[in-house]
Amino acid sequence: MNTEKTINPPSGYLAFFLFLLLLAAAIVSFALHYIAAGVATILINFIFVLPGLVIVNPNESKVLTLFGKYVGTVKQDGFFWVNPFTAKKKVSLKAFNLNGQQLKVNDSVGNPIEIAAVIVWQIKDTASAIFAVENYLQYVNIQSEAAVRHLANSFPYDNMEDEGANITLRGGAEQVSLLLEKELNERLDRAGIEVLEARISHLAYAPEIAHTMLQRQQASAIISARRLIVEGAVGMVEMALAKLSEKKIVKLDEERKAAMVSNLLVVLCGDRSVNPVVNTGTLYH
């Protein structure tokens, strides 16, 4: 496999000046009716001088090959002259942004989900990008899709069905992004490509189970909220009984305490406003 070799060819301004000089000499030769000399000068000018002139723009490069052999890569921007018989392939060194399409895959517990990623990548080895793979743009697209699918198959969507999972696609966004970036760098290293950033841009349950999973999430949220309410209510009841006993406001036996606890829990844990009932008798009559 070819590895990148950076070269610095001579400036093209001297060659361009030679081109103009030879062009002027050819015109003079034709004017003086030296047809053979003029034709020879024109051929030399357009075969050996002009084809060797190369312009390299900022954040671009030119990969040079001579009769099927890799010569080197010009990465410095400017105006240069190279061997006129070399083939010149322009390769951009700018950062590319890949907005991946939404993929329908199964997570680690088998739930169908939709997932997509945004990937920022850049060519770091022009020789590998040109010679190691057939089409580096297509290679990036295919390998990125494969990496996202593998990532989705490796972790659950959330902890509802796999409570022991340390990393989930929904809850571990930073860790998932780092793992995706690492895997992409491993896959794309063959093509001389470096992934600068990889982020999950879309994550959702597939439409056929989205409604069911939403109901399940709502039920889980309600249970968690009720558990918190009950814990708070029990603490308030304990505090109320302790304060009544401490200040000796009223002396309660076990049955009255049980009735008081029951009433307080109904008031504190109920999801609707309570309608008080006035008791004109006693607890025992």
Side-chain angles (χ1 to χ4, degrees):
M1 182 184 296
N2 291 299
T3 56
E4 184 180 80
K5 179 174 63 175
T6 304
I7 60 174
N8 295 312
S11 174
Y13 291 102
L14 182 60
F16 184 68
F17 176 75
L18 178 61
F19 168 78
L20 295 178
L21 186 63
L22 290 175
L23 185 61
I27 295 173
V28 171
S29 297
F30 285 124
L32 297 176
H33 300 288
Y34 296 123
I35 305 301
V39 171
T41 305
I42 289 292
L43 290 176
I44 292 172
N45 210 16
F46 284 90
I47 294 177
F48 295 100
V49 180
L50 185 61
L53 295 175
V54 174
I55 297 176
V56 181
N57 296 316
N59 273 335
E60 287 185 356
S61 66
K62 285 290 186 355
V63 177
L64 308 179
T65 56
L66 180 62
F67 303 128
K69 183 178 180 181
Y70 173 61
V71 175
T73 302
V74 182
K75 283 190 169 182
Q76 183 180 358
D77 57 286
F79 187 40
F80 305 100
W81 185 85
V82 298
N83 190 323
F85 297 105
T86 55
K88 310 163 190 68
K89 176 72 173 180
K90 184 178 75 172
V91 178
S92 177
L93 302 178
K94 300 175 183 178
F96 291 84
N97 193 32
L98 173 63
N99 188 10
Q101 62 179 348
Q102 294 182 14
L103 305 175
K104 185 176 180 180
V105 297
N106 294 331
D107 65 1
S108 62
V109 294
N111 292 322
I113 63 173
E114 292 180 347
I115 187 170
V118 172
I119 300 167
V120 182
W121 59 276
Q122 187 178 35
I123 294 177
K124 65 176 181 179
D125 190 322
T126 56
S128 297
I130 296 298
F131 304 118
V133 295
E134 182 68 26
N135 185 323
Y136 63 86
L137 293 174
Q138 185 181 24
Y139 187 81
V140 170
N141 289 334
I142 294 175
Q143 292 298 325
S144 299
E145 180 178 333
V148 172
R149 286 184 180 276
H150 180 259
L151 181 77
N153 293 332
S154 301
F155 302 102
Y157 182 89
D158 55 24
N159 291 105
M160 284 198 301
E161 292 191 10
D162 190 358
E163 297 182 356
N166 296 324
I167 301 177
T168 63
L169 297 174
R170 189 175 64 132
E174 290 296 328
Q175 294 171 296
V176 169
S177 297
L178 291 175
L179 291 172
L180 178 59
E181 183 178 330
K182 180 181 177 182
E183 181 171 352
L184 283 170
N185 276 315
E186 292 175 355
R187 288 174 176 266
L188 300 178
D189 183 66
R190 175 185 291 273
I193 292 172
E194 179 184 11
V195 176
L196 305 178
E197 185 181 3
R199 297 281 177 180
I200 301 298
S201 60
H202 174 77
L203 182 64
Y205 282 113
E208 58 266 27
I209 67 167
H211 181 67
T212 302
M213 288 301 178
L214 178 61
Q215 289 180 326
R216 183 171 181 177
Q217 290 176 352
Q218 291 174 342
S220 178
I222 292 174
I223 292 172
S224 299
R226 286 295 178 187
R227 184 181 295 113
L228 184 62
I229 291 173
V230 169
E231 291 177 356
V234 170
M236 294 177 68
V237 169
E238 291 178 347
M239 182 180 64
L241 292 175
K243 288 293 183 180
L244 290 174
S245 176
E246 178 184 351
K247 296 183 178 296
K248 299 180 180 180
I249 297 175
V250 61
K251 186 177 181 180
L252 301 175
D253 57 20
E254 294 301 322
E255 189 173 354
R256 289 179 181 272
K257 287 182 180 180
M260 180 179 177
V261 169
S262 176
N263 292 334
L264 285 175
L265 288 177
V266 170
V267 172
L268 296 174
C269 297
D271 57 352
R272 298 178 182 176
S273 58
V274 179
N275 296 320
V277 177
V278 178
N279 185 9
T280 57
T282 65
L283 183 64
Y284 303 105
H285 298 285

